[in-house]
Amino acid sequence: MKDLKFEQKSSLSRIEAADQLAALAEALRHGGNAELELGPGTMSLRVPDELSTEIEVEVGDGHIEMEIELKWPTARSGAPS
């Protein structure tokens, strides 16, 4: 079972999508406790110095789908598991 799941689907202009990705990039660049504005609210996340990434691109049925996945443990580095 997941501790938390947040999913947001919306239709954005290319510029709005770029702004959202830029805000995410800025949060990742600063690390630590990052705040990310998502719709009407803000989500705070602890972002470590190292994380795992996966980029997936699927082409079919007249659409291109790109997924960017970032993963990191919830436990702080050096904390007992």
Side-chain angles (χ1 to χ4, degrees):
M1 181 169 75
K2 305 246 185 237
D3 291 336
L4 170 70
K5 181 175 180 174
F6 174 86
E7 187 172 316
Q8 181 183 43
K9 294 182 180 186
S10 59
S11 180
L12 303 173
S13 71
R14 182 174 41 86
I15 299 299
E16 290 168 328
D19 288 345
Q20 213 173 55
L21 289 172
L24 175 59
E26 192 65 22
L28 289 170
R29 184 170 285 110
H30 290 291
N33 289 322
E35 290 196 355
L36 187 58
E37 289 186 31
L38 299 167
T42 302
M43 180 178 285
S44 290
L45 296 171
R46 181 195 57 81
V47 182
D49 291 336
E50 297 287 327
L51 44 97
S52 299
T53 65
E54 180 181 331
I55 297 176
E56 183 179 327
V57 177
E58 293 180 21
V59 180
D61 295 329
H63 290 88
I64 297 174
E65 179 177 332
M66 176 183 278
E67 293 182 19
I68 301 171
E69 183 173 283
L70 307 172
K71 287 185 183 181
W72 61 88
T74 55
R76 292 191 183 270
S77 201
S81 35

